[in-house]
Amino acid sequence: MRRRKALKKCLIFSTSVFSFLAFSNISVAQKKLSSFNLFTNSIANNPLIARKTNLVFPPIPEENPETGLNSNAHLPGNPEPTMREKEAFIEEINQYALPFEEKYGIPTGVITAIAIVESHFGRTRVAYYANNLFKIKYINPRKGRYDGSWENIKTYQLVGQSNEAPNTAVLIKKNYGDDNKLVLDQARRFDNRYRVFNTYQECVNFLVNDLWLKDEYYKAAIEKYKTNIIALGRNNAAKHLGFDLGMKKLNSTAINAYQSSIAKVIDEWKLCQSKRTFEKSTDPHR
């Protein structure tokens, strides 16, 4: 009798231990699954994480003396964005730009078109490393402080960019054959530093609030757009506005190309029609 009771207790204990271990394994598995779900959800809900595809940029001389070119500094990285990635980019920027259309009459599609042209759907070095979609520079020639640190402003230095500061010279450290294969001394430069933004939304907000709405040239262009709608129609008026907002920082050789690019993007993605759609009219890859 005692022996039977002892065996019964052992059986109950063994069953309890087995159940506990099984439950523990299930709990661990559930926790892992929960953690995985949290991780995947965070990617899905965080465009910044989702879009950080590993890009390979065309090299500059500092990176590859044989094939590197300084003109590569502005080129987008590979792989080329897919159709869905382009659509997601447009949808995201439209979301950030819409409040400015509702409040100030600045068309959402124009902001998005400029972002596409300037950043190639977020694929340029400046967009990738600094979330800077519009190549917004930080110009600070203060002696000994060229990086914005004295004002607590984070900057990204686009190494390889040709000198864009008038009446200045940049020390050449190495020359690999021609003007497009120079290695320039970056230590004292201030002409190739760009503002760093935490998000695309922060970048869009800075562009409109801190640049366009505080500059008489940009404000006049926006008012001109409102009158052009009657004479030219919404779509053509938007093309003129996109050109006017971008041309202030352009040199004469880039103006025609920029105007053409803005108009093409607005038409291709139907960005400034009354009924917005992100589908291209013809695309064999869709």
Side-chain angles (χ1 to χ4, degrees), residues 245-261:
L245 292 174
M247 72 170 288
K248 185 179 181 182
K249 64 178 182 179
L250 298 176
N251 57 49
S252 57
T253 58
I255 286 178
N256 290 336
Y258 189 88
Q259 186 175 23
S260 176
S261 298

Side-chain angles (χ1 to χ4, degrees), residues 75 87 92 139 179 183 217 235 250 282:
L75 295 181
E87 291 172 345
E92 183 182 354
I139 303 296
D179 290 344
V183 175
Y217 170 86
N235 199 57
L250 298 176
T282 57

Side-chain angles (χ1 to χ4, degrees), residues 4-253:
R4 285 182 182 177
K5 287 183 178 180
L7 288 172
K8 188 175 181 180
K9 287 182 180 179
C10 287
L11 181 60
I12 293 171
F13 176 76
S14 300
T15 304
S16 300
V17 170
F18 177 79
S19 300
F20 173 77
L21 291 174
F23 178 77
S24 298
N25 289 334
I26 291 172
S27 298
V28 170
Q30 287 177 336
K31 286 180 179 179
K32 288 182 178 179
L33 180 61
S34 177
S35 298
F36 176 76
N37 287 337
L38 285 173
F39 175 71
T40 53
N41 287 339
S42 69
I43 291 179
N45 295 325
N46 189 333
L48 180 60
I49 296 176
R51 67 171 164 259
K52 286 300 183 183
T53 307
N54 290 327
L55 297 182
V56 177
F57 291 95
I60 55 177
E62 284 87 335
E63 297 168 343
N64 189 325
E66 294 182 6
T67 60
L69 299 172
N70 285 320
S71 55
N72 288 345
H74 291 287
L75 295 181
N78 293 310
E80 178 75 10
T82 64
M83 183 60 61
R84 180 60 197 131
E85 287 173 329
K86 291 179 180 180
E87 291 172 345
F89 179 86
I90 291 172
E91 290 165 2
E92 183 182 354
I93 305 307
N94 274 352
Q95 175 187 344
Y96 304 146
L98 182 59
F100 297 110
E101 179 170 356
E102 295 172 340
K103 189 172 182 180
Y104 302 108
I106 305 171
T108 299
V110 167
I111 296 174
T112 303
I114 294 175
I116 292 171
V117 171
E118 295 280 11
S119 75
H120 193 69
F121 297 93
R123 246 55 179 188
T124 61
R125 292 179 191 252
V126 175
Y128 186 78
Y129 292 112
N131 290 318
N132 190 330
L133 300 174
F134 307 101
K135 297 179 182 175
I136 301 171
K137 284 189 176 184
Y138 175 81
I139 303 296
N140 174 29
R142 180 173 174 174
K143 185 177 180 179
R145 295 283 185 169
Y146 293 94
D147 60 358
S149 60
W150 69 287
E151 289 184 306
N152 293 319
I153 295 174
K154 292 174 65 177
T155 62
Y156 167 75
Q157 190 173 34
L158 184 60
V159 176
Q161 175 179 299
S162 58
N163 183 26
E164 295 184 0
N167 303 317
T168 64
V170 178
L171 179 66
I172 298 172
K173 298 174 71 173
K174 292 181 181 179
N175 186 335
Y176 291 114
D178 60 54
D179 290 344
N180 207 12
K181 296 180 74 66
L182 304 176
V183 175
L184 305 175
D185 184 2
Q186 306 295 332
R188 302 283 296 173
R189 295 186 66 181
F190 61 87
D191 60 300
N192 64 344
R193 291 192 176 272
Y194 296 80
R195 284 181 177 268
V196 173
F197 299 97
N198 293 316
T199 63
Y200 283 176
Q201 184 174 14
E202 183 181 307
C203 180
V204 172
N205 290 345
F206 182 89
L207 174 77
V208 180
N209 288 324
D210 292 79
L211 296 182
W212 289 357
L213 295 179
K214 292 183 178 179
D215 187 294
E216 292 303 320
Y217 170 86
Y218 293 122
K219 289 195 291 186
I222 293 167
E223 290 304 313
K224 179 183 174 184
Y225 160 75
K226 296 175 183 177
T227 59
N228 278 345
I229 291 177
I230 300 173
L232 304 175
R234 177 184 172 86
N235 199 57
N236 286 329
K239 293 178 186 177
H240 281 273
L241 175 61
F243 169 63
D244 288 342
L245 292 174
M247 72 170 288
K248 185 179 181 182
K249 64 178 182 179
L250 298 176
N251 57 49
S252 57
T253 58

Side-chain angles (χ1 to χ4, degrees), residues 248-285:
K248 185 179 181 182
K249 64 178 182 179
L250 298 176
N251 57 49
S252 57
T253 58
I255 286 178
N256 290 336
Y258 189 88
Q259 186 175 23
S260 176
S261 298
I262 289 290
K264 180 181 177 181
V265 166
I266 287 176
D267 283 340
E268 183 178 16
W269 293 97
K270 305 175 185 176
L271 294 176
C272 293
Q273 295 181 359
S274 56
K275 182 180 179 181
R276 296 189 185 87
T277 176
F278 308 129
E279 293 187 9
K280 296 170 72 175
S281 55
T282 57
D283 192 328
H285 303 294

